[in-house]
Amino acid sequence: SQKIEQNSEALNIQEGKTATLTCNYTNYSPAYLQWYRQDPGRGPVFLLLIRENEKEKRKERLKVTFDTTLKQSLFHITASQPADSATYLCALDMGRRALTFGSGTRLQVQP
Amino acid sequence: DVKVTQSSRYLVKRTGEKVFLECVQDMDHENMFWYRQDPGLGLRLIYFSYDVKMKEKGDIPEGYSVSREKKERFSLILESASTNQTSMYLCASSFDGGDTDTQYFGPGTRLTVL
């Protein structure tokens, strides 16, 4: 069956460092992958989309990579700030009209 | 600015009650979705709709039904609420014209069934 895996353990880093979050998937070759941010008690907010033919995408301090051979996406936040603390979800197109979401990784940036 | 609104932020109901959760979007999106989110389980798709009066089951439709009589409104119905339906419910919408499905989410409804 289709599966998306994100590290369920929280990631704790110091302010100013680069945070790297991982999204692994199995049994499918998605046309694109998306990353969302979710704050406590709120709905997810779209951040970035990367297509299967793109290796890397950037937006300000955010960078996403997509390795279709490894079936993995990495999400980087450079020069992290306490305001970046949130849960980050990856989502994939898996051949139906609706996206399939991972369970998310919580990031905590310490000042 | 795009907007998805949900009828309640918090809701408390009793076992056996019929519960309606309403979602409205103002972006003229064709697609609308209902998810529930539980700790450790992430977002799980209950139902989605790609057009008025059209619906498709998601991954966990049991115990739920939906209604889409107008394009902007998508309702989730719990026919007979049970305690295991206590959860955060999230509605989302997306445009059907492109080749991606970027979703816009509402603020969520935290439902407690006693």
Side-chain angles (χ1 to χ4, degrees):
Chain A
S1 63
Q2 302 148 355
K3 204 170 179 183
I4 303 174
E5 290 183 351
Q6 293 186 258
N7 194 342
S8 58
E9 290 184 20
L11 178 64
N12 291 290
I13 64 168
Q14 285 296 123
E15 183 175 6
K17 301 291 186 185
T18 296
T20 299
L21 287 72
T22 305
C23 176
N24 294 298
Y25 59 93
T26 60
N27 298 337
Y28 196 73
S29 296
Y32 55 84
L33 183 148
Q34 301 183 16
W35 283 90
Y36 288 75
R37 169 185 171 138
Q38 186 175 22
D39 292 289
R42 301 287 183 182
V45 175
F46 170 75
L47 294 175
L48 276 171
L49 178 148
I50 186 165
R51 300 180 190 280
E52 61 179 337
N53 60 350
E54 296 175 316
K55 296 293 183 190
E56 183 179 297
K57 199 81 166 280
R58 291 176 185 262
K59 180 183 176 182
E60 298 172 354
R61 293 184 296 111
L62 308 180
K63 184 179 87 171
V64 173
T65 63
F66 194 10
D67 189 325
T68 55
T69 302
L70 291 178
K71 293 189 182 294
Q72 180 181 79
S73 175
L74 298 179
F75 177 81
H76 307 272
I77 305 176
T78 58
S80 60
Q81 304 165 1
D84 295 326
S85 299
T87 296
Y88 292 86
L89 306 164
C90 67
L92 278 69
D93 145 52
M94 284 195 159
R96 59 179 182 179
R97 287 177 184 264
L99 293 172
T100 301
F101 284 82
S103 56
T105 298
R106 189 163 63 87
L107 172 67
Q108 189 70 37
V109 181
Q110 307 289 348
Chain B
D1 199 14
V2 297
K3 203 153 186 188
V4 179
T5 56
Q6 295 183 229
S7 50
S8 307
R9 291 302 308 274
Y10 300 93
L11 208 52
V12 180
K13 296 291 181 180
R14 296 215 172 269
T15 301
E17 279 193 78
K18 191 167 185 175
V19 181
F20 292 87
L21 302 182
E22 302 282 337
C23 176
V24 177
Q25 51 95 3
D26 65 359
M27 296 164 282
D28 204 35
H29 284 168
E30 291 81 7
N31 302 322
M32 295 188 76
F33 310 84
W34 274 107
Y35 297 87
R36 64 177 284 177
Q37 187 173 34
D38 301 287
L41 296 177
L43 281 167
R44 293 183 292 167
L45 181 66
I46 304 171
Y47 267 99
F48 64 100
S49 168
Y50 52 90
D51 201 353
V52 175
K53 297 192 187 293
M54 305 302 287
K55 62 185 179 185
E56 283 196 28
K57 292 180 180 178
D59 300 315
I60 51 163
E62 296 78 19
Y64 303 94
S65 63
V66 290
S67 172
R68 189 144 180 226
E69 297 296 319
K70 293 185 177 182
K71 190 176 185 180
E72 68 270 18
R73 189 178 299 267
F74 192 33
S75 303
L76 180 69
I77 303 151
L78 286 66
E79 296 290 342
S80 178
S82 63
T83 55
N84 63 13
Q85 292 178 311
T86 292
S87 187
M88 170 71 104
Y89 289 88
L90 288 158
C91 174
S93 70
S94 72
F95 177 56
D96 198 36
D99 59 353
T100 68
D101 293 296
T102 301
Q103 295 191 8
Y104 298 86
F105 283 83
T109 295
R110 185 162 294 283
L111 173 67
T112 302
V113 182
L114 302 175

